Amino acid sequence: MKLNNPFGLSLLCATSGMTVAGPLSGSSRAVAAPGGRMNIVYIMCDDHSFQTISAYGHPLSRLAPTPNIDRLARRGIRFDRAYVENSLSTPSRACLMTGLYSHQNGQTMLTNRMDTTVTFIPQLMQQAGYQTAMIGKWHMLCEPRGFDTYSILSGQGEYYNPRFKSEATGGRYVREEGYATDLITRKALDFLRQRDRNRPFLLYVHHKAPHRPWLPPLEYLDLYEDVEFPMPATFYDDYTSRGPAAAEQRMRIDEHMAMIYDLKLYGYEGSGHECDVSQLWRAALQTMTPEERAQWLENYERKNAPFMQQQENMTHDEVVRWKYQRYIKDYLRVIRRVDDSVGQLLDYLEAEGLMDSTMIVYTSDQGFYMGEHGWFDKRFMYEESFRTPLIISYPGCRGGSESDVMVQNLDFGPTFLDIARKEQPADMYGRSLMPVLRKNGRRPRGWRKQLYYHFYDHTAEHNVMRHDGLSDRRYKLIHFYDERGERPAYDEFYDLKQDPHELHNLADDPRYSRKIARFRKELQRTRESIGVREY
Ligand code: SGN
Ligand code: CA
């Protein structure tokens, strides 16, 4: 069935694949892509916030810069309005792999199963003559499809000496020695070195980092130890004016972050969080070698000592501030290694003369809260988790450009197909980013004006109510609903220009009633035209 496209997009193939005629700049060793079609290196982290990439200029990242991701931004375009359609790992990955919304591919939640009959983008890319590789976190319940070669982590993946499965291991996960980010980088470089040079390639590099519980590499355990990171202005949000979802979540740093599992306070005996009680923290350290674990424990015991000695005299707020610093430091230590990895990949591509024939994408499977509203984790349609970092460099683009065009993870599939000069299937609502890239990030005529979002996984950890919504460049309507009928449905409405931190819900403000009515109608029209049935 051909569905109406609510965003006024052409659903037929926009065969505008970028032709790479040859060297465009720089390197003396520039190598043209085989067949004149660009290679693609797609780097995706797990839970990397835009707040912790210095190219985005947030106060946190100024104290912990990411020079290599910034180096990519200097060569490419930084997207400031890049969003996901469902802010959770598995659904985001299913969207990337299929080019379809969650309700279309069936992967609405973390652990349900997607529709196995759906075609994967890499399968289409193979048909178009690309060699395809998938390295790192896969995190879907189905087997990888459409890859010439793959090496994937088991489930959420492990930081230390993780298990990987590849064609070579006969379907078994086999433990490998090293730190996840380093191993993934090495495997990606191995693929590049061993690739068939007569075909263009599509390489997915999917890091486990910086997913919870934020285990840094040993070399970086003391990085930033003396730095005091600023807390966000909304840290002490009390959720007044918002509906019950914002208050009832279980992702607050002060209440739900586990002292041992998340914050590494080994030996802490205060009242535990469920993660501490479940001994999950032991499992997190289990894959280290005895030497690594000894070094790890020695390091944290040393850093924990002042807190352990003073905690009885500390106020609740002092403890919360301590927690915040520990959380942010470990997260940023993990990120620092990701930044090293980006540097190694860029070094290789530059040295091999591949920059002139390769698109490089850096992004995350969703955004993440660095204490905004008092939270860690993601899921909500509020900006920090709805948004995701996105930097793209491609041959010939004007480096250092910034874009405020609204793009979504639904667009990656169509972009890759466009580059491969392969027709975009009619049920993909995303849009090739090539017209935006060719304009160095400026808005092409007829580009979408609004984005649809839908989060389903209410029953899972962190207790975020189901919701869907519509956002344009200025306003956002969020509809919270509960399929179990425990809570009445309700809406929130934000003016992002007046209230960028989304602290003032305007749903009941009579001054906005006409605008809200228009948004509600538009949301309903969107659901119907893309075939959403639950809301
Ligand atoms: C795990 C984490 C959650 C996290 C989900 C989803 N808990 O369940 O904190 O929200 O993954 O993350 S943990 O105790 O196992 O660390 S996602 O990135 O895969 O969507
Ligand atoms: Ca994630």
Side-chain angles (χ1 to χ4, degrees):
M1 184 179 64
K2 190 168 188 315
L3 298 162
N4 295 326
N5 190 321
F7 304 123
L9 312 178
S10 160
L11 291 180
L12 292 174
C13 171
T15 40
S16 53
M18 168 86 186
T19 298
V20 182
L24 292 169
S25 67
S27 164
S28 54
R29 295 193 52 199
V31 178
R37 292 176 300 173
M38 271 192 285
N39 306 307
I40 304 164
V41 176
Y42 175 91
I43 308 168
M44 184 166 82
C45 273
D46 191 350
D47 294 354
H48 194 181
S49 56
F50 58 84
Q51 303 93 305
T52 52
I53 294 178
S54 39
Y56 278 98
H58 188 276
L60 281 179
S61 64
R62 278 190 226 125
L63 295 169
T66 48
N68 291 297
I69 302 175
D70 293 8
R71 184 172 145 199
L72 184 67
R74 278 198 302 278
R75 297 194 74 116
I77 301 166
R78 186 193 80 197
F79 286 83
D80 295 346
R81 289 174 190 266
Y83 295 90
V84 293
E85 54 87 44
N86 184 354
S87 179
L88 202 57
S89 172
T90 319
S92 172
R93 285 156 211 274
C95 173
L96 170 70
M97 284 298 148
T98 64
L100 301 174
Y101 280 113
S102 303
H103 69 276
Q104 293 179 291
N105 63 40
Q107 191 71 59
T108 50
M109 306 193 218
L110 208 55
T111 51
N112 62 350
R113 279 180 195 271
M114 74 181 294
D115 177 354
T116 49
T117 63
V118 171
T119 306
F120 276 28
I121 300 288
Q123 292 177 303
L124 298 173
M125 296 297 279
Q126 280 182 323
Q127 286 167 17
Y130 271 68
Q131 60 191 307
T132 57
M134 165 72 221
I135 312 287
K137 183 164 171 176
W138 174 246
H139 203 207
M140 289 197 284
L141 292 173
C142 59
E143 292 300 305
R145 281 213 299 276
F147 299 105
D148 294 17
T149 178
Y150 68 87
S151 183
I152 56 168
L153 292 166
S154 149
Q156 286 282 12
E158 296 140 323
Y159 276 107
Y160 278 81
N161 310 308
R163 285 164 297 160
F164 284 93
K165 167 167 106 172
S166 66
E167 314 83 57
T169 66
R172 277 181 317 117
Y173 283 101
V174 176
R175 201 166 287 293
E176 296 191 26
E177 201 178 307
Y179 183 69
T181 308
D182 300 340
L183 290 172
I184 291 165
T185 311
R186 200 183 70 209
K187 286 167 187 279
L189 289 170
D190 285 347
F191 165 77
L192 291 172
R193 289 193 190 103
Q194 290 158 17
R195 74 189 191 279
D196 170 359
R197 283 158 207 258
N198 297 313
R199 287 189 291 154
F201 62 83
L202 165 58
L203 165 63
Y204 296 89
V205 185
H206 289 193
H207 287 292
K208 181 213 168 35
H211 194 272
R212 192 180 182 190
W214 318 294
L215 304 190
L218 293 177
E219 299 88 306
Y220 288 157
L221 289 184
D222 288 321
L223 193 68
Y224 311 129
E225 192 53 20
D226 298 328
V227 181
E228 172 88 8
F229 287 94
M231 289 166 92
T234 61
F235 189 85
Y236 294 100
D237 188 359
D238 61 4
Y239 317 118
T240 42
S241 96
R242 266 60 53 79
E248 288 177 2
Q249 44 55 45
R250 296 182 61 79
M251 46 193 253
R252 290 173 59 85
I253 291 173
D254 67 352
E255 230 185 302
H256 307 115
M257 199 170 251
M259 287 302 227
I260 304 177
Y261 174 61
D262 291 316
L263 300 167
K264 292 109 184 166
L265 269 172
Y266 309 111
Y268 180 79
E269 286 177 348
S271 64
H273 174 272
E274 57 235 46
C275 287
D276 291 342
V277 176
S278 72
Q279 307 278 307
L280 252 183
W281 65 275
R282 278 190 207 283
L285 306 190
Q286 196 97 50
T287 66
M288 293 176 180
T289 63
E291 295 75 29
E292 286 168 340
R293 201 160 40 243
Q295 198 181 329
W296 177 279
L297 291 172
E298 183 279 319
N299 183 285
Y300 279 97
E301 272 158 25
R302 175 168 47 78
K303 290 187 297 199
N304 293 344
F307 176 87
M308 292 301 225
Q309 279 151 21
Q310 293 157 26
Q311 53 162 321
E312 289 195 351
N313 302 318
M314 285 165 83
T315 63
H316 176 75
D317 190 46
E318 282 167 345
V319 172
V320 171
R321 285 169 180 277
W322 183 91
K323 288 169 110 175
Y324 182 77
Q325 294 300 321
R326 172 60 58 87
Y327 161 48
I328 295 296
K329 285 175 193 181
D330 280 343
Y331 183 100
L332 288 167
R333 290 164 179 149
V334 173
I335 286 303
R336 175 67 169 262
R337 190 54 134 225
V338 169
D339 189 70
D340 295 341
S341 163
V342 171
Q344 287 174 44
L345 289 171
L346 289 180
D347 288 348
Y348 178 85
L349 295 169
E350 281 171 6
E352 290 294 306
L354 285 167
M355 296 304 278
D356 293 327
S357 55
T358 306
M359 167 186 277
I360 306 167
V361 179
Y362 184 88
T363 190
S364 171
D365 63 342
Q366 9 70 203
F368 210 68
Y369 292 96
M370 310 307 306
E372 296 86 357
H373 308 286
W375 298 338
F376 64 103
D377 213 67
K378 53 264 178 174
R379 296 159 198 263
F380 279 106
M381 196 191 171
Y382 304 130
E383 285 294 286
E384 291 82 1
S385 44
F386 179 29
R387 245 184 93 181
T388 189
L390 176 64
I391 295 168
I392 303 180
S393 94
Y394 84 100
C397 74
R398 195 173 63 226
S401 301
E402 291 161 18
S403 176
D404 69 351
V405 173
M406 293 189 93
V407 303
Q408 204 164 19
N409 56 344
L410 279 172
D411 300 331
F412 291 126
T415 305
F416 298 169
L417 295 176
D418 190 2
I419 290 170
R421 300 195 203 116
K422 179 96 182 149
E423 192 165 329
Q424 177 174 332
D427 58 354
M428 281 184 199
Y429 293 108
R431 197 169 180 183
S432 168
L433 297 174
M434 286 314 299
V436 183
L437 297 171
R438 274 195 290 270
K439 292 186 74 147
N440 291 306
R442 289 196 312 284
R443 188 173 185 273
R445 279 176 65 161
W447 193 257
R448 66 164 73 88
K449 294 196 165 66
Q450 60 201 21
L451 292 176
Y452 177 72
Y453 177 83
H454 201 148
F455 173 78
Y456 299 81
D457 211 352
H458 182 189
T459 47
E461 212 177 335
H462 302 302
N463 195 40
V464 172
M465 270 174 87
R466 286 188 175 202
H467 56 288
D468 73 344
L470 205 62
S471 182
D472 68 12
R473 293 157 59 84
R474 171 91 191 249
Y475 300 101
K476 188 186 289 182
L477 174 70
I478 313 180
H479 173 74
F480 287 92
Y481 70 99
D482 181 351
E483 81 286 11
R484 292 173 297 187
E486 288 168 7
R487 287 239 164 243
Y490 66 93
D491 291 347
E492 291 181 0
F493 191 76
Y494 297 97
D495 179 342
L496 298 168
K497 191 168 172 207
Q498 304 290 339
D499 177 27
H501 299 308
E502 299 161 290
L503 297 173
H504 306 289
N505 169 25
L506 304 168
D508 296 323
D509 189 325
R511 288 172 303 168
Y512 288 84
S513 56
R514 282 180 48 195
K515 197 168 287 302
I516 294 171
R518 266 213 308 282
F519 256 81
R520 283 190 178 128
K521 225 162 124 186
E522 189 55 30
L523 175 59
Q524 186 55 23
R525 197 179 71 81
T526 303
R527 289 165 177 156
E528 284 164 15
S529 52
I530 62 174
V532 178
R533 275 181 288 275
E534 278 179 272
Y535 43 84

